[in-house]
Each structure stands twice: as C-alpha cells, then as structure tokens.
C-alpha cells in the first residue's frame, strides 16, 4: 500500500510540474489517459531513482561534498531527463524539453513530493 501511495504522490508532483514548468508536457488526449500516463511515468521515475541514484551518489560522493549537496539538483534533473527518454521509448506521451526544464521540474517534483509526504505521512 505504501508503494502505491508513493507512486500517486510522485504522479501528483509530476502533474504539478507539467503545469508550473514550461517544457514539461503530457500530450495524452483525455484526462484518464493523462492520469494513466502520469502514474506510469511516476513508476518509471521511482525505478530510475531506486536503481541509478544510489550508484551516482556513490561514484559522485566527492561532488556532493564539494558542492555542499547542490550537485543533487543536477543529478535529479538528469534522472528526470532519463525518465522522459524512457517514457518516450515506451510510447508514453510525456516529454521534458531540455536540461533547464528538467532542472526546474526536478525542484518542483521534489518540493511537492516532500509537502505531500509531510501531509500524508511518510512512515
């Protein structure tokens, strides 16, 4: 149940990023297709973060220390771009236009996910 709630929270954060950040789009026709796309992209984003992010943190540990953690913003943007590419490979109508959109989108997704996890409880 906890995993499903996390996917829904990330999907809501991704939806907010499509509304707040120019360059992040979901081009599905109906509302139901948009919701399905966002849930699928949230699942992909979760898998990308679970598999690749720990590897990058381990390899790039020095960059995290040298930049006082700001390197995490670059990593999150790159992971959002990777998620967009994977979604396109799976014919999902989700697209991130470039690094700048991914950077701001990753910030929006992070902040909104944090707020929703605070409201809903993150056990």
């Amino acid at each position: 149940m906890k995993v499903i709630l996390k996917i829904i929270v990330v999907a809501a954060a991704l939806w907010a990023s499509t509304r707040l950040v120019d360059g992040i789009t979901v081009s599905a026709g109906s509302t139901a297709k948009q919701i399905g796309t966002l849930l699928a992209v949230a699942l992909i984003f979760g898998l990308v973060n679970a598999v690749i992010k720990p590897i990058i943190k381990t390899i790039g540990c020095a960059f995290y220390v040298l930049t006082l953690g700001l390197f995490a913003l670059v990593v999150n943007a790159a992971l959002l771009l990777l998620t967009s590419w994977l979604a396109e490979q799976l014919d999902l109508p989700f697209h991130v236009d470039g690094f700048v959109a991914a950077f701001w989108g990753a910030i929006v997704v992070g902040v909104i996910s944090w707020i929703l996890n605070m409201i809903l409880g993150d056990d």
Side-chain angles (χ1 to χ4, degrees):
M1 185 69 178
K2 182 179 172 182
V3 173
I4 295 170
L5 185 61
K6 290 259 187 208
I7 291 170
I8 292 170
V9 165
V10 173
L14 286 168
W15 173 80
S17 71
T18 64
R19 299 291 178 220
L20 296 172
V21 178
D22 289 334
I24 300 177
T25 57
V26 175
S27 57
S30 67
T31 303
K33 287 182 181 179
Q34 286 183 355
I35 292 171
T37 298
L38 288 170
L39 288 171
V41 171
L43 180 63
I44 294 168
F45 192 57
L47 291 172
V48 165
N49 276 313
V51 174
I52 297 176
K53 193 170 189 175
I55 297 167
I56 294 173
K57 276 187 168 183
T58 303
I59 293 171
C61 182
F63 290 114
Y64 281 95
V65 172
L66 288 174
T67 64
L68 302 175
L70 292 176
F71 185 64
L73 296 173
V74 174
V75 170
N76 289 339
L79 293 176
L80 187 58
L81 275 173
L82 177 61
T83 300
S84 172
W85 179 80
L86 289 171
E88 289 175 11
Q89 298 306 306
L90 296 171
D91 290 328
L92 293 171
F94 178 81
H95 182 70
V96 179
D97 275 339
F99 183 79
V100 173
F103 180 81
W104 290 109
I107 291 173
V108 169
V109 168
V111 169
I112 291 177
S113 294
W114 175 72
I115 290 170
L116 289 175
N117 283 326
M118 293 293 291
I119 292 170
L120 298 173
D122 189 22
D123 297 335

